[in-house]
Amino acid sequence: NGEATDSGGETYVVATDNNFVPFEFVDQETDELTGFDVELMRAIAEEAGFNVEFEQIEFSGLISGVSTGRYDIGIAGITINDERKEKVDFSDPYYDSGLTVAVLEGNEEIQSVEDLAGKTVGTRTGSTSQEYLAEELPDANVEAYPEITTAYQSLLTNKIDAVLYDLPNVQYYSKTEGGGKILAVGDRLTGESYGMVFEKGSELTEQVNTALQTLKDNGTYDEIHAKWFGE
Ligand code: GLN
């Protein structure tokens, strides 16, 4: 069914999200889980000689699911930070990202994060942007949704004023389902790097890091990157 690889070795359960384009999402036409993270994870498994079986779970349950050993690996554009490092081990960073404000095209009132006071801002439950809003923008009204696409749909139908989320996700959504109607505005608010997560002390961390480095050195990482983000 395309969800598992067969490299002849152990099979590990990989927890992922299915609502974070273009990193992990379900392709409408094929009905299959796909995206940059999914392809990178499969390539890592092949390189390291193990098999992966993906489980699509809610983003807010990912860290705890991995920290308790329910899943062997987690990959979902997960931002590496100190709070999460208390619960799980992270791989080396594999993608540089950060947060942005997004509004409907033509919105002249909101041009940067400074304009969000008193506005209703959508985000996702359990994300770094929900935390950013709570800490940095106490004057904004926050609407946190389990799926970030619900936030974008609320923006498109004028139920909320803005969305605060990861820049590559905003840009890809805008180009695809968003039909170009959603724009990222202002400066990138944070620098964040994504990493895969493992139960504390897991031997998989080292194996994954070694395989990731090989894929960076041999051009496979660049190929997968170019496919999803262009050159
Ligand atoms: N990078 C963000 C975080 O780690 C969002 C990831 C996601 O929605 N899958 O919180």
Side-chain angles (χ1 to χ4, degrees):
N1 61 10
E3 299 246 327
T5 53
D6 191 0
S7 306
E10 292 280 330
T11 298
Y12 296 115
V13 180
V14 181
T16 189
D17 165 23
N18 59 17
N19 196 248
F20 191 58
V21 290
F23 297 90
E24 39 272 319
F25 63 101
V26 175
D27 184 304
Q28 305 286 342
E29 275 163 33
T30 61
D31 215 27
E32 300 245 9
L33 182 72
T34 187
F36 176 76
D37 283 353
V38 175
E39 290 193 358
L40 180 64
M41 191 68 243
R42 287 204 174 107
I44 286 171
E46 200 182 332
E47 178 59 36
F50 58 78
N51 306 311
V52 287
E53 210 176 276
F54 289 96
E55 274 209 35
Q56 302 169 38
I57 66 166
E58 212 159 272
F59 181 72
S60 60
L62 226 149
I63 303 275
S64 62
V66 172
S67 72
T68 55
R70 181 151 174 204
Y71 311 106
D72 301 302
I73 305 174
I75 186 167
I78 304 167
T79 300
I80 302 171
N81 68 25
D82 289 342
E83 196 185 322
R84 292 171 176 173
K85 276 187 195 162
E86 284 173 16
K87 299 182 189 135
V88 287
D89 286 345
F90 276 94
S91 70
D92 292 332
Y94 68 86
Y95 189 91
D96 291 329
S97 184
L99 302 178
T100 188
V101 176
V103 293
L104 282 186
E105 149 181 73
N107 183 331
E108 274 157 29
E109 207 183 335
I110 302 173
Q111 287 298 310
S112 77
V113 72
E114 280 82 41
D115 303 326
L116 292 179
K119 302 288 188 224
T120 304
V121 187
T123 184
R124 183 178 212 182
T125 315
S127 67
T128 48
S129 61
Q130 185 185 27
E131 200 173 286
Y132 181 94
L133 283 162
E135 281 168 14
E136 310 287 333
L137 292 167
D139 297 333
N141 309 313
V142 179
E143 286 281 348
Y145 306 90
E147 302 209 323
I148 194 62
T149 51
T150 317
Y152 295 133
Q153 276 148 20
S154 299
L155 181 60
L156 287 166
T157 52
N158 282 300
K159 289 196 189 95
I160 58 176
D161 302 305
V163 169
L164 195 131
Y165 220 60
D166 299 47
L167 180 64
N169 176 251
V170 167
Q171 288 175 327
Y172 198 89
Y173 185 87
S174 176
K175 272 198 310 203
T176 52
E177 265 176 83
K181 295 191 191 75
I182 292 175
L183 293 182
V185 291
D187 296 329
R188 199 171 76 168
L189 304 173
T190 57
E192 302 187 2
S193 297
Y194 298 160
M196 283 147 259
V197 295
F198 310 87
E199 188 177 355
K200 277 204 167 291
S202 169
E203 284 170 13
L204 276 170
T205 313
E206 191 62 40
Q207 285 186 53
V208 164
N209 282 338
T210 305
L212 175 63
Q213 191 55 52
T214 305
L215 300 181
K216 282 187 174 171
D217 295 339
N218 71 15
T220 306
Y221 177 95
D222 289 340
E223 262 172 50
I224 301 172
H225 190 280
K227 172 172 172 188
W228 292 99
F229 302 101
E231 298 301 322

Short mmCIF file of all heavy atoms in Angstrom, two decimals, residues 135-200:
data_model
loop_
_atom_site.label_atom_id
_atom_site.label_comp_id
_atom_site.label_asym_id
_atom_site.label_seq_id
_atom_site.Cartn_x
_atom_site.Cartn_y
_atom_site.Cartn_z
N GLU A 135 3.03 33.77 24.51
CA GLU A 135 4.11 34.49 25.18
C GLU A 135 4.33 35.90 24.67
O GLU A 135 4.58 36.82 25.44
CB GLU A 135 5.42 33.70 25.04
CG GLU A 135 5.47 32.55 26.03
CD GLU A 135 6.59 31.57 25.75
OE1 GLU A 135 7.49 31.90 24.95
OE2 GLU A 135 6.54 30.46 26.33
N GLU A 136 4.24 36.07 23.36
CA GLU A 136 4.61 37.36 22.76
C GLU A 136 3.42 38.26 22.44
O GLU A 136 3.60 39.45 22.25
CB GLU A 136 5.42 37.14 21.46
CG GLU A 136 6.57 36.17 21.58
CD GLU A 136 7.74 36.74 22.36
OE1 GLU A 136 7.91 37.98 22.37
OE2 GLU A 136 8.49 35.94 22.97
N LEU A 137 2.25 37.69 22.27
CA LEU A 137 1.11 38.51 21.84
C LEU A 137 -0.11 38.32 22.74
O LEU A 137 -1.17 37.88 22.29
CB LEU A 137 0.75 38.15 20.39
CG LEU A 137 1.78 38.54 19.33
CD1 LEU A 137 1.49 37.88 18.02
CD2 LEU A 137 1.82 40.05 19.16
N PRO A 138 0.04 38.71 24.01
CA PRO A 138 -1.07 38.52 24.95
C PRO A 138 -2.33 39.31 24.56
O PRO A 138 -3.42 38.97 25.02
CB PRO A 138 -0.49 39.01 26.28
CG PRO A 138 0.69 39.84 25.93
CD PRO A 138 1.22 39.32 24.64
N ASP A 139 -2.17 40.32 23.69
CA ASP A 139 -3.33 41.12 23.29
C ASP A 139 -4.08 40.58 22.08
O ASP A 139 -5.05 41.18 21.63
CB ASP A 139 -2.90 42.56 23.00
CG ASP A 139 -2.34 43.23 24.24
OD1 ASP A 139 -2.74 42.82 25.36
OD2 ASP A 139 -1.49 44.13 24.09
N ALA A 140 -3.63 39.46 21.54
CA ALA A 140 -4.35 38.87 20.40
C ALA A 140 -5.35 37.84 20.93
O ALA A 140 -5.14 37.24 21.98
CB ALA A 140 -3.36 38.20 19.45
N ASN A 141 -6.46 37.64 20.21
CA ASN A 141 -7.40 36.58 20.57
C ASN A 141 -6.99 35.35 19.78
O ASN A 141 -7.04 35.36 18.55
CB ASN A 141 -8.83 36.96 20.17
CG ASN A 141 -9.19 38.32 20.70
OD1 ASN A 141 -8.96 38.63 21.86
ND2 ASN A 141 -9.74 39.17 19.84
N VAL A 142 -6.61 34.31 20.47
CA VAL A 142 -6.07 33.14 19.78
C VAL A 142 -7.14 32.07 19.59
O VAL A 142 -7.87 31.72 20.52
CB VAL A 142 -4.88 32.56 20.57
CG1 VAL A 142 -4.32 31.32 19.88
CG2 VAL A 142 -3.79 33.62 20.74
N GLU A 143 -7.24 31.58 18.36
CA GLU A 143 -8.10 30.43 18.03
C GLU A 143 -7.17 29.28 17.66
O GLU A 143 -6.53 29.33 16.61
CB GLU A 143 -8.98 30.73 16.82
CG GLU A 143 -10.12 31.68 17.06
CD GLU A 143 -11.32 31.01 17.73
OE1 GLU A 143 -11.35 29.76 17.81
OE2 GLU A 143 -12.20 31.75 18.17
N ALA A 144 -7.08 28.27 18.52
CA ALA A 144 -6.20 27.13 18.20
C ALA A 144 -7.04 25.96 17.71
O ALA A 144 -8.00 25.55 18.37
CB ALA A 144 -5.40 26.73 19.43
N TYR A 145 -6.69 25.44 16.54
CA TYR A 145 -7.41 24.31 15.93
C TYR A 145 -6.51 23.07 15.91
O TYR A 145 -5.30 23.20 15.73
CB TYR A 145 -7.76 24.65 14.48
CG TYR A 145 -8.52 25.94 14.27
CD1 TYR A 145 -7.85 27.14 14.05
CD2 TYR A 145 -9.92 25.96 14.28
CE1 TYR A 145 -8.54 28.32 13.84
CE2 TYR A 145 -10.62 27.14 14.07
CZ TYR A 145 -9.92 28.32 13.85
OH TYR A 145 -10.60 29.48 13.64
N PRO A 146 -7.08 21.88 16.03
CA PRO A 146 -6.26 20.66 15.94
C PRO A 146 -5.60 20.51 14.56
O PRO A 146 -4.51 19.96 14.44
CB PRO A 146 -7.25 19.52 16.17
CG PRO A 146 -8.44 20.15 16.82
CD PRO A 146 -8.48 21.57 16.37
N GLU A 147 -6.26 21.01 13.51
CA GLU A 147 -5.69 20.93 12.16
C GLU A 147 -5.46 22.34 11.64
O GLU A 147 -6.38 23.18 11.67
CB GLU A 147 -6.65 20.19 11.23
CG GLU A 147 -6.95 18.79 11.72
CD GLU A 147 -7.27 17.84 10.60
OE1 GLU A 147 -7.92 18.27 9.64
OE2 GLU A 147 -6.87 16.67 10.70
N ILE A 148 -4.27 22.58 11.11
CA ILE A 148 -3.97 23.94 10.67
C ILE A 148 -4.78 24.34 9.43
O ILE A 148 -5.08 25.51 9.21
CB ILE A 148 -2.44 24.15 10.47
CG1 ILE A 148 -2.11 25.65 10.33
CG2 ILE A 148 -1.89 23.34 9.31
CD1 ILE A 148 -2.45 26.51 11.54
N THR A 149 -5.21 23.36 8.64
CA THR A 149 -6.04 23.71 7.47
C THR A 149 -7.36 24.35 7.90
O THR A 149 -7.91 25.17 7.17
CB THR A 149 -6.34 22.49 6.57
OG1 THR A 149 -6.84 21.45 7.40
CG2 THR A 149 -5.09 22.01 5.85
N THR A 150 -7.85 24.00 9.08
CA THR A 150 -9.08 24.64 9.57
C THR A 150 -8.83 26.13 9.81
O THR A 150 -9.71 26.97 9.55
CB THR A 150 -9.55 23.98 10.88
OG1 THR A 150 -9.43 22.57 10.76
CG2 THR A 150 -10.99 24.34 11.20
N ALA A 151 -7.64 26.46 10.29
CA ALA A 151 -7.30 27.87 10.50
C ALA A 151 -7.28 28.61 9.15
O ALA A 151 -7.83 29.70 9.02
CB ALA A 151 -5.95 27.99 11.19
N TYR A 152 -6.67 27.99 8.14
CA TYR A 152 -6.62 28.64 6.82
C TYR A 152 -8.02 28.81 6.24
O TYR A 152 -8.34 29.83 5.64
CB TYR A 152 -5.74 27.84 5.84
CG TYR A 152 -4.29 27.79 6.24
CD1 TYR A 152 -3.59 26.59 6.23
CD2 TYR A 152 -3.61 28.95 6.62
CE1 TYR A 152 -2.24 26.53 6.60
CE2 TYR A 152 -2.26 28.90 6.99
CZ TYR A 152 -1.59 27.69 6.98
OH TYR A 152 -0.27 27.64 7.34
N GLN A 153 -8.87 27.78 6.42
CA GLN A 153 -10.24 27.89 5.91
C GLN A 153 -11.01 28.99 6.64
O GLN A 153 -11.78 29.72 6.03
CB GLN A 153 -10.96 26.54 6.01
CG GLN A 153 -10.63 25.66 4.80
CD GLN A 153 -10.61 24.19 5.13
OE1 GLN A 153 -11.18 23.76 6.14
NE2 GLN A 153 -9.94 23.41 4.30
N SER A 154 -10.77 29.11 7.94
CA SER A 154 -11.41 30.18 8.71
C SER A 154 -10.95 31.55 8.22
O SER A 154 -11.73 32.50 8.17
CB SER A 154 -11.09 30.06 10.19
OG SER A 154 -11.56 28.84 10.68
N LEU A 155 -9.69 31.64 7.84
CA LEU A 155 -9.17 32.90 7.30
C LEU A 155 -9.82 33.19 5.95
O LEU A 155 -10.29 34.31 5.70
CB LEU A 155 -7.63 32.79 7.16
CG LEU A 155 -6.90 34.03 6.63
CD1 LEU A 155 -7.10 35.23 7.55
CD2 LEU A 155 -5.40 33.74 6.47
N LEU A 156 -9.90 32.19 5.11
CA LEU A 156 -10.49 32.36 3.77
C LEU A 156 -11.96 32.77 3.84
O LEU A 156 -12.46 33.41 2.93
CB LEU A 156 -10.34 31.07 2.95
CG LEU A 156 -8.92 30.77 2.43
CD1 LEU A 156 -8.83 29.33 1.93
CD2 LEU A 156 -8.52 31.75 1.34
N THR A 157 -12.64 32.37 4.91
CA THR A 157 -14.06 32.72 5.03
C THR A 157 -14.26 33.87 6.03
O THR A 157 -15.37 34.07 6.54
CB THR A 157 -14.88 31.49 5.47
OG1 THR A 157 -14.26 30.92 6.64
CG2 THR A 157 -14.92 30.43 4.39
N ASN A 158 -13.18 34.59 6.30
CA ASN A 158 -13.26 35.80 7.14
C ASN A 158 -13.71 35.58 8.58
O ASN A 158 -14.20 36.51 9.22
CB ASN A 158 -14.16 36.85 6.48
CG ASN A 158 -13.43 37.57 5.37
OD1 ASN A 158 -12.40 38.19 5.63
ND2 ASN A 158 -13.93 37.46 4.16
N LYS A 159 -13.54 34.38 9.09
CA LYS A 159 -13.93 34.14 10.48
C LYS A 159 -12.84 34.60 11.43
O LYS A 159 -13.09 34.85 12.60
CB LYS A 159 -14.20 32.65 10.69
CG LYS A 159 -15.47 32.18 10.01
CD LYS A 159 -15.90 30.82 10.56
CE LYS A 159 -17.02 30.23 9.75
NZ LYS A 159 -16.53 29.30 8.70
N ILE A 160 -11.61 34.65 10.95
CA ILE A 160 -10.50 35.15 11.77
C ILE A 160 -9.72 36.16 10.93
O ILE A 160 -9.90 36.24 9.71
CB ILE A 160 -9.57 34.00 12.25
CG1 ILE A 160 -9.01 33.21 11.05
CG2 ILE A 160 -10.32 33.05 13.19
CD1 ILE A 160 -8.01 32.13 11.46
N ASP A 161 -8.85 36.95 11.60
CA ASP A 161 -8.14 38.03 10.89
C ASP A 161 -6.80 37.60 10.31
O ASP A 161 -6.32 38.18 9.34
CB ASP A 161 -7.89 39.19 11.86
CG ASP A 161 -9.18 39.73 12.46
OD1 ASP A 161 -10.08 40.09 11.67
OD2 ASP A 161 -9.30 39.75 13.71
N ALA A 162 -6.17 36.64 10.95
CA ALA A 162 -4.83 36.24 10.52
C ALA A 162 -4.54 34.83 11.01
O ALA A 162 -5.27 34.29 11.85
CB ALA A 162 -3.79 37.21 11.09
N VAL A 163 -3.48 34.25 10.46
CA VAL A 163 -2.98 32.97 10.95
C VAL A 163 -1.51 33.19 11.26
O VAL A 163 -0.83 33.97 10.58
CB VAL A 163 -3.13 31.84 9.88
CG1 VAL A 163 -2.37 30.58 10.29
CG2 VAL A 163 -4.61 31.52 9.65
N LEU A 164 -1.02 32.57 12.31
CA LEU A 164 0.41 32.62 12.60
C LEU A 164 0.92 31.19 12.55
O LEU A 164 0.47 30.34 13.33
CB LEU A 164 0.64 33.23 13.99
CG LEU A 164 2.09 33.67 14.25
CD1 LEU A 164 2.09 35.09 14.80
CD2 LEU A 164 2.78 32.75 15.22
N TYR A 165 1.79 30.91 11.57
CA TYR A 165 2.26 29.53 11.44
C TYR A 165 3.58 29.45 10.70
O TYR A 165 4.14 30.46 10.27
CB TYR A 165 1.20 28.64 10.77
CG TYR A 165 1.16 27.28 11.46
CD1 TYR A 165 0.87 27.21 12.81
CD2 TYR A 165 1.50 26.12 10.79
CE1 TYR A 165 0.90 26.00 13.49
CE2 TYR A 165 1.52 24.91 11.46
CZ TYR A 165 1.23 24.86 12.80
OH TYR A 165 1.27 23.66 13.47
N ASP A 166 4.07 28.21 10.54
CA ASP A 166 5.37 27.98 9.90
C ASP A 166 5.34 28.47 8.44
O ASP A 166 4.47 28.07 7.66
CB ASP A 166 5.71 26.48 9.92
CG ASP A 166 5.82 25.91 11.34
OD1 ASP A 166 4.91 26.20 12.16
OD2 ASP A 166 6.77 25.17 11.62
N LEU A 167 6.34 29.29 8.10
CA LEU A 167 6.40 29.91 6.77
C LEU A 167 6.30 28.93 5.60
O LEU A 167 5.50 29.17 4.68
CB LEU A 167 7.68 30.76 6.66
CG LEU A 167 7.92 31.48 5.34
CD1 LEU A 167 6.84 32.52 5.05
CD2 LEU A 167 9.29 32.17 5.35
N PRO A 168 7.05 27.83 5.57
CA PRO A 168 6.93 26.95 4.40
C PRO A 168 5.54 26.34 4.25
O PRO A 168 5.07 26.09 3.14
CB PRO A 168 7.99 25.86 4.63
CG PRO A 168 8.34 25.93 6.07
CD PRO A 168 8.09 27.34 6.52
N ASN A 169 4.85 26.14 5.36
CA ASN A 169 3.49 25.59 5.33
C ASN A 169 2.52 26.62 4.78
O ASN A 169 1.67 26.33 3.93
CB ASN A 169 3.12 25.14 6.75
CG ASN A 169 1.69 24.64 6.88
OD1 ASN A 169 0.86 25.31 7.49
ND2 ASN A 169 1.39 23.49 6.32
N VAL A 170 2.66 27.87 5.25
CA VAL A 170 1.81 28.95 4.74
C VAL A 170 2.00 29.09 3.23
O VAL A 170 1.04 29.15 2.47
CB VAL A 170 2.18 30.30 5.43
CG1 VAL A 170 1.53 31.47 4.71
CG2 VAL A 170 1.78 30.29 6.90
N GLN A 171 3.26 29.12 2.81
CA GLN A 171 3.55 29.34 1.39
C GLN A 171 3.00 28.21 0.51
O GLN A 171 2.43 28.46 -0.54
CB GLN A 171 5.06 29.47 1.18
CG GLN A 171 5.57 30.79 1.73
CD GLN A 171 7.08 30.91 1.65
OE1 GLN A 171 7.81 29.92 1.77
NE2 GLN A 171 7.58 32.13 1.45
N TYR A 172 3.17 26.98 0.96
CA TYR A 172 2.70 25.85 0.15
C TYR A 172 1.18 25.80 0.12
O TYR A 172 0.58 25.57 -0.93
CB TYR A 172 3.28 24.54 0.68
CG TYR A 172 3.21 23.41 -0.31
CD1 TYR A 172 4.24 23.19 -1.22
CD2 TYR A 172 2.09 22.56 -0.35
CE1 TYR A 172 4.17 22.15 -2.13
CE2 TYR A 172 2.02 21.52 -1.27
CZ TYR A 172 3.08 21.31 -2.15
OH TYR A 172 3.00 20.29 -3.05
N TYR A 173 0.56 26.04 1.27
CA TYR A 173 -0.92 26.04 1.31
C TYR A 173 -1.46 27.13 0.40
O TYR A 173 -2.43 26.92 -0.33
CB TYR A 173 -1.43 26.23 2.75
CG TYR A 173 -2.93 26.11 2.82
CD1 TYR A 173 -3.54 24.87 2.99
CD2 TYR A 173 -3.75 27.22 2.67
CE1 TYR A 173 -4.91 24.74 3.00
CE2 TYR A 173 -5.13 27.12 2.68
CZ TYR A 173 -5.71 25.87 2.85
OH TYR A 173 -7.08 25.75 2.85
N SER A 174 -0.83 28.31 0.46
CA SER A 174 -1.28 29.43 -0.36
C SER A 174 -1.24 29.07 -1.85
O SER A 174 -2.18 29.33 -2.59
CB SER A 174 -0.42 30.65 -0.08
OG SER A 174 -0.80 31.70 -0.95
N LYS A 175 -0.14 28.45 -2.27
CA LYS A 175 0.05 28.07 -3.68
C LYS A 175 -0.93 27.01 -4.14
O LYS A 175 -1.23 26.90 -5.31
CB LYS A 175 1.44 27.43 -3.85
CG LYS A 175 2.55 28.37 -4.13
CD LYS A 175 3.76 27.61 -4.72
CE LYS A 175 4.17 26.39 -3.92
NZ LYS A 175 5.54 25.96 -4.10
N THR A 176 -1.36 26.15 -3.21
CA THR A 176 -2.20 25.01 -3.60
C THR A 176 -3.65 25.28 -3.23
O THR A 176 -4.33 26.05 -3.91
CB THR A 176 -1.66 23.71 -2.96
OG1 THR A 176 -1.50 23.91 -1.55
CG2 THR A 176 -0.31 23.34 -3.56
N GLU A 177 -4.13 24.71 -2.13
CA GLU A 177 -5.54 24.88 -1.75
C GLU A 177 -5.94 26.32 -1.52
O GLU A 177 -7.09 26.70 -1.75
CB GLU A 177 -5.80 24.11 -0.45
CG GLU A 177 -6.34 22.73 -0.65
CD GLU A 177 -6.47 22.02 0.68
OE1 GLU A 177 -7.48 22.24 1.35
OE2 GLU A 177 -5.52 21.29 1.03
N GLY A 178 -5.02 27.14 -1.05
CA GLY A 178 -5.32 28.54 -0.75
C GLY A 178 -5.54 29.40 -1.98
O GLY A 178 -5.98 30.55 -1.87
N GLY A 179 -5.23 28.85 -3.15
CA GLY A 179 -5.49 29.55 -4.41
C GLY A 179 -4.85 30.94 -4.50
O GLY A 179 -5.37 31.83 -5.16
N GLY A 180 -3.72 31.13 -3.80
CA GLY A 180 -3.02 32.41 -3.85
C GLY A 180 -3.68 33.52 -3.05
O GLY A 180 -3.25 34.66 -3.07
N LYS A 181 -4.73 33.19 -2.32
CA LYS A 181 -5.46 34.24 -1.58
C LYS A 181 -4.88 34.53 -0.21
O LYS A 181 -5.28 35.48 0.45
CB LYS A 181 -6.93 33.83 -1.43
CG LYS A 181 -7.68 33.75 -2.75
CD LYS A 181 -9.18 33.61 -2.49
CE LYS A 181 -9.94 33.27 -3.76
NZ LYS A 181 -9.72 31.82 -4.11
N ILE A 182 -3.95 33.67 0.23
CA ILE A 182 -3.34 33.87 1.54
C ILE A 182 -1.89 34.31 1.34
O ILE A 182 -1.17 33.73 0.54
CB ILE A 182 -3.40 32.56 2.36
CG1 ILE A 182 -4.85 32.25 2.72
CG2 ILE A 182 -2.53 32.64 3.61
CD1 ILE A 182 -5.06 30.91 3.42
N LEU A 183 -1.50 35.38 2.04
CA LEU A 183 -0.14 35.89 1.88
C LEU A 183 0.59 35.94 3.21
O LEU A 183 0.02 36.33 4.22
CB LEU A 183 -0.18 37.33 1.34
CG LEU A 183 -0.69 37.55 -0.07
CD1 LEU A 183 -0.59 39.03 -0.41
CD2 LEU A 183 0.12 36.73 -1.08
N ALA A 184 1.88 35.59 3.18
CA ALA A 184 2.74 35.75 4.35
C ALA A 184 3.17 37.22 4.37
O ALA A 184 3.59 37.75 3.35
CB ALA A 184 3.95 34.84 4.24
N VAL A 185 3.04 37.87 5.52
CA VAL A 185 3.44 39.28 5.62
C VAL A 185 4.43 39.50 6.76
O VAL A 185 4.44 38.76 7.74
CB VAL A 185 2.22 40.24 5.82
CG1 VAL A 185 1.36 40.30 4.57
CG2 VAL A 185 1.39 39.85 7.04
N GLY A 186 5.23 40.54 6.61
CA GLY A 186 6.19 40.92 7.64
C GLY A 186 7.41 40.03 7.65
O GLY A 186 7.58 39.16 6.78
N ASP A 187 8.28 40.24 8.63
CA ASP A 187 9.51 39.45 8.72
C ASP A 187 9.22 38.08 9.28
O ASP A 187 8.24 37.89 9.98
CB ASP A 187 10.49 40.13 9.69
CG ASP A 187 10.93 41.49 9.18
OD1 ASP A 187 11.00 41.66 7.94
OD2 ASP A 187 11.17 42.38 10.02
N ARG A 188 10.10 37.13 9.01
CA ARG A 188 10.01 35.83 9.66
C ARG A 188 10.26 36.06 11.15
O ARG A 188 11.20 36.76 11.51
CB ARG A 188 11.04 34.87 9.06
CG ARG A 188 10.69 33.42 9.34
CD ARG A 188 11.56 32.48 8.57
NE ARG A 188 12.89 32.43 9.18
CZ ARG A 188 13.80 31.50 8.87
NH1 ARG A 188 13.55 30.60 7.95
NH2 ARG A 188 14.97 31.52 9.46
N LEU A 189 9.38 35.54 11.98
CA LEU A 189 9.38 35.90 13.40
C LEU A 189 10.38 35.13 14.25
O LEU A 189 10.82 35.60 15.28
CB LEU A 189 7.98 35.69 13.99
CG LEU A 189 6.87 36.46 13.26
CD1 LEU A 189 5.51 36.04 13.80
CD2 LEU A 189 7.08 37.94 13.42
N THR A 190 10.68 33.91 13.83
CA THR A 190 11.59 33.08 14.61
C THR A 190 12.43 32.26 13.63
O THR A 190 12.02 32.08 12.47
CB THR A 190 10.82 32.04 15.47
OG1 THR A 190 9.99 31.25 14.59
CG2 THR A 190 9.95 32.70 16.52
N GLY A 191 13.57 31.81 14.06
CA GLY A 191 14.31 30.81 13.30
C GLY A 191 14.08 29.49 14.01
O GLY A 191 14.30 29.39 15.21
N GLU A 192 13.56 28.48 13.31
CA GLU A 192 13.30 27.18 13.93
C GLU A 192 13.87 26.10 13.03
O GLU A 192 13.86 26.24 11.82
CB GLU A 192 11.78 26.96 14.09
CG GLU A 192 11.10 28.05 14.92
CD GLU A 192 9.64 27.75 15.23
OE1 GLU A 192 9.13 26.68 14.87
OE2 GLU A 192 9.03 28.63 15.85
N SER A 193 14.35 25.03 13.62
CA SER A 193 14.81 23.89 12.82
C SER A 193 13.98 22.68 13.18
O SER A 193 13.63 22.48 14.34
CB SER A 193 16.27 23.58 13.13
OG SER A 193 17.07 24.67 12.78
N TYR A 194 13.70 21.88 12.17
CA TYR A 194 12.93 20.65 12.39
C TYR A 194 13.86 19.47 12.64
O TYR A 194 14.93 19.37 12.03
CB TYR A 194 12.08 20.33 11.15
CG TYR A 194 11.04 21.36 10.78
CD1 TYR A 194 10.51 21.39 9.49
CD2 TYR A 194 10.55 22.29 11.71
CE1 TYR A 194 9.54 22.31 9.12
CE2 TYR A 194 9.58 23.21 11.35
CZ TYR A 194 9.08 23.23 10.05
OH TYR A 194 8.13 24.14 9.69
N GLY A 195 13.42 18.59 13.54
CA GLY A 195 14.16 17.36 13.79
C GLY A 195 13.20 16.21 14.00
O GLY A 195 12.03 16.41 14.33
N MET A 196 13.71 14.99 13.81
CA MET A 196 12.90 13.81 14.12
C MET A 196 13.04 13.55 15.62
O MET A 196 14.06 13.90 16.21
CB MET A 196 13.42 12.60 13.35
CG MET A 196 12.98 12.63 11.90
SD MET A 196 14.22 11.88 10.82
CE MET A 196 14.98 13.34 10.16
N VAL A 197 12.02 12.95 16.22
CA VAL A 197 12.09 12.69 17.67
C VAL A 197 12.09 11.20 17.98
O VAL A 197 11.55 10.38 17.22
CB VAL A 197 10.93 13.40 18.44
CG1 VAL A 197 11.07 14.90 18.34
CG2 VAL A 197 9.56 12.94 17.97
N PHE A 198 12.70 10.88 19.13
CA PHE A 198 12.87 9.49 19.59
C PHE A 198 12.67 9.46 21.09
O PHE A 198 12.89 10.47 21.78
CB PHE A 198 14.30 9.01 19.29
CG PHE A 198 14.73 9.25 17.87
CD1 PHE A 198 15.31 10.46 17.51
CD2 PHE A 198 14.51 8.29 16.90
CE1 PHE A 198 15.68 10.69 16.19
CE2 PHE A 198 14.89 8.52 15.58
CZ PHE A 198 15.48 9.73 15.23
N GLU A 199 12.35 8.28 21.59
CA GLU A 199 12.28 8.11 23.04
C GLU A 199 13.68 8.39 23.59
O GLU A 199 14.69 8.07 22.95
CB GLU A 199 11.86 6.66 23.35
CG GLU A 199 11.57 6.42 24.81
CD GLU A 199 11.10 4.98 25.08
OE1 GLU A 199 10.91 4.20 24.13
OE2 GLU A 199 10.91 4.66 26.27
N LYS A 200 13.75 8.98 24.77
CA LYS A 200 15.05 9.31 25.36
C LYS A 200 15.93 8.07 25.45
O LYS A 200 15.51 7.03 25.88
CB LYS A 200 14.87 9.92 26.74
CG LYS A 200 14.57 11.39 26.67
CD LYS A 200 14.97 12.10 27.95
CE LYS A 200 14.96 13.61 27.79
NZ LYS A 200 16.01 14.12 26.91
#
